[in-house]
C-alpha cells in the first residue's frame, strides 16, 4: 500500500537544524553535527564518489534507503529546501543539487510563486505547487502510483503534513547530541498517534520508525 | 566500577513532565502518559500488588531495574521530588511513599533547609544535604561503596548533574507521545558527550542508555 513518509535527523533535544540558518549555512550553527553519522557511511562515500572501503553498517543501509528507495515514486519539499526561502529564487534557480539532482523522480515544491516545471537530467522534474500541501500530496500520489510519497523536508513542511494528518510514517534519526537552540521538528504538529515499529541502533545514532495512525 | 546514573521517561518532544505541575498533579497535565508503558508491565503489577498474569516483556525487565537494581547503593533526589517544592514540607513530611518507601537504601535529598536524617521502614533513610550537588554526590558515593549512585530526579536535579559533568549514564525511556508543553529535561545541561550503548525497543516505548564521557 502506498504510504506518505519522511526521514528526519534530529538532536536528542529535538532540533532538526541549528540556530541562525542562512544561505551560507542552511543547516544552522552546528546543524551539520546532526548528519555526521551519515558522512561516515559506505553509502555516503558511494553517493559522493569517495574512495570505497567504509563498512556496510546498518547506518549505511539506512542512508541507502533515504537516498534512493525504489519504493518511492515522488518527493515533496518546501520552498526553503528547494532554495527559495533565502531570497535566492529566480527563474534561473534550479535547486542546490546541480544538473542531475539525486531524486530521479518527480519532485513537488511547495511555493506561493507559480513557475513552469523544470526538467533536470536523470529523471528529476521539479513541479511547483501553489495551492497548498493537500494539492501537493494529490499530485505526488498521482505521479507515484503504487509507490510511496517521500516528504523530503524541511521541518516546516513536515510539520504541516503532521498537523494535517497526512503523514503515515515518520522515520527519525536521533543523533546523540544537544544543539540547545534552532528549529524544533515536533512543535505545532497537533497530536499524532505514533507507534515505534522499527528501531535500528548504532553507537552514532538511533533510528526509530514511527507509524502514524489516523 | 561504580557509576552515577539516572533513568528518565521523556516524551518524543523532550518533556519529562507536563505543564502546570502542582501538589495534586506532580507530573503536570498529561504527564502520566509518559509512564503508561510502565503501568502495563508485570513488574509494575508486582510492585503494586496487582493480580499477576501480565507478560514479562523487555519493558517489564526495565521497570524491575529502575525499581530495585541490586547494583544501586544510594539514591539522590531533589527537593521537589521529595515533596518540598510545593509548600508541603515541614518536619512531619516524610516523602510521598508511606512508611516503607521503595528505595531500601540511603536517599540523599538536596535542599536548603537543614533537617535531621529520617529513618524509614525497610532500609530507606532520608538524609538532607544543604551544601550542593557535589556534596550530595560525595556522601552518596561514600554510602554506596562499590555500588552505583542513582540520581532519581526530578528533571532539575538531573540537569544539575549533567551540567556539572557528574553523571556517567543517562537512560532515557522515550514515550511515543507529544506533550507540547511542560518541563524539558535536556535544557541548560551544557554539552555532555553522549554515546548510545544499549537500545531496547517495544511498541510502547524506546529505551536508550547513553554513556556520558568526561
Amino acid at each position: 500500500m502506498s504510504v506518505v513518509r519522511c526521514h528526519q535527523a534530529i538532536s536528542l533535544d529535538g532540533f532538526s537544524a541549528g540556530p541562525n540558518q542562512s544561505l551560507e549555512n542552511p543547516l544552522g550553527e552546528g546543524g551539520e553535527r546532526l548528519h555526521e553519522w551519515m558522512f561516515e557511511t559506505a553509502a555516503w562515500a558511494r553517493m559522493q564518489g569517495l574512495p570505497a572501503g567504509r563498512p556496510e553498517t546498518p547506518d549505511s543501509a539506512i542512508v541507502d534507503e533515504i537516498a534512493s528507495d525504489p519504493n518511492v515514486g515522488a518527493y515533496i519539499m518546501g520552498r526553503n529546501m528547494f532554495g527559495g526561502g533565502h531570497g535566492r529564487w529566480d527563474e534561473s534557480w534550479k535547486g542546490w543539487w546541480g544538473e542531475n539532482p539525486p531524486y530521479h523522480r518527480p519532485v513537488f515544491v511547495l511555493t506561493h510563486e507559480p513557475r513552469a516545471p523544470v526538467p533536470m537530467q536523470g529523471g528529476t522534474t521539479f513541479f511547483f505547487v501553489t495551492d497548498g500541501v493537500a494539492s501537493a500530496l494529490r499530485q505526488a500520489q498521482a505521479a507515484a502510483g503504487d509507490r510511496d510519497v517521500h516528504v523530503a523536508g524541511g521541518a516546516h513542511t513536515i510539520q504541516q503534513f503532521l498537523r494535517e494528518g497526512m503523514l503515515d510514517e515518520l522515520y527519525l534519526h536521533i543523533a546523540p547530541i544537544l544543539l540547545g537552540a534552532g528549529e524544533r521538528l515536533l512543535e505545532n504538529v497537533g497530536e499524532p498517534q505514533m507507534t515505534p515499529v522499527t528501531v535500528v541502533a548504532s553507537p552514532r545514532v538511533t533510528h526509530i520508525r514511527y507509524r502514524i495512525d489516523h
Side-chain angles (χ1 to χ4, degrees), chain A residues 104-117:
Chain A
H104 312 298
R105 295 163 180 82
V107 178
F108 295 86
V109 180
L110 293 157
T111 173
H112 296 295
E113 300 168 60
R115 183 171 169 187

Side-chain angles (χ1 to χ4, degrees), chain A residues 74-193:
Chain A
Y75 291 86
I76 294 173
M77 68 173 62
R79 167 193 163 89
N80 287 5
M81 187 167 175
F82 183 69
H86 304 292
R88 187 165 182 170
W89 189 342
D90 58 37
E91 285 293 313
S92 69
W93 178 250
K94 296 178 177 180
W96 311 88
W97 304 276
E99 289 301 316
N100 189 348
Y103 300 104
H104 312 298
R105 295 163 180 82
V107 178
F108 295 86
V109 180
L110 293 157
T111 173
H112 296 295
E113 300 168 60
R115 183 171 169 187
V118 176
M120 306 292 288
Q121 293 173 19
T124 299
T125 299
F126 293 112
F127 295 92
F128 300 89
V129 179
T130 57
D131 52 350
V133 289
S135 172
L137 180 55
R138 277 193 302 273
Q139 295 180 53
Q141 285 177 320
D146 291 338
R147 293 190 291 168
D148 295 344
V149 172
H150 183 153
V151 179
H156 182 69
T157 299
I158 294 169
Q159 287 168 354
Q160 279 184 287
F161 274 81
L162 279 167
R163 199 162 53 230
E164 302 289 335
M166 299 191 308
L167 200 65
D168 302 311
E169 226 180 74
L170 175 63
Y171 205 156
L172 296 180
H173 311 287
I174 305 177
I177 62 167
L178 304 179
L179 288 180
E183 186 171 37
R184 288 194 192 278
L185 180 66
L186 295 172
E187 214 165 53
N188 302 316
V189 296
E191 297 191 1
Q193 298 299 306

Side-chain angles (χ1 to χ4, degrees), chain A residues 6-114:
Chain A
C6 85
H7 287 272
Q8 191 72 29
I10 62 168
S11 63
L12 191 51
D13 54 350
F15 297 101
S16 56
N20 301 318
Q21 290 173 267
S22 67
L23 183 60
E24 290 70 33
N25 195 1
L27 301 174
E29 290 165 20
E32 72 287 349
R33 297 173 59 208
L34 295 167
H35 306 283
E36 276 172 1
W37 62 273
M38 193 180 290
F39 304 148
E40 296 167 0
T41 60
W44 182 260
R46 271 193 296 279
M47 285 164 63
Q48 301 293 318
L50 302 174
R54 302 180 195 200
E56 296 290 343
T57 60
D59 289 348
S60 188
I62 285 172
V63 174
D64 274 330
E65 181 187 330
I66 297 172
S68 64
D69 188 333
N71 295 321
V72 169
Y75 291 86
I76 294 173
M77 68 173 62
R79 167 193 163 89
N80 287 5
M81 187 167 175
F82 183 69
H86 304 292
R88 187 165 182 170
W89 189 342
D90 58 37
E91 285 293 313
S92 69
W93 178 250
K94 296 178 177 180
W96 311 88
W97 304 276
E99 289 301 316
N100 189 348
Y103 300 104
H104 312 298
R105 295 163 180 82
V107 178
F108 295 86
V109 180
L110 293 157
T111 173
H112 296 295
E113 300 168 60

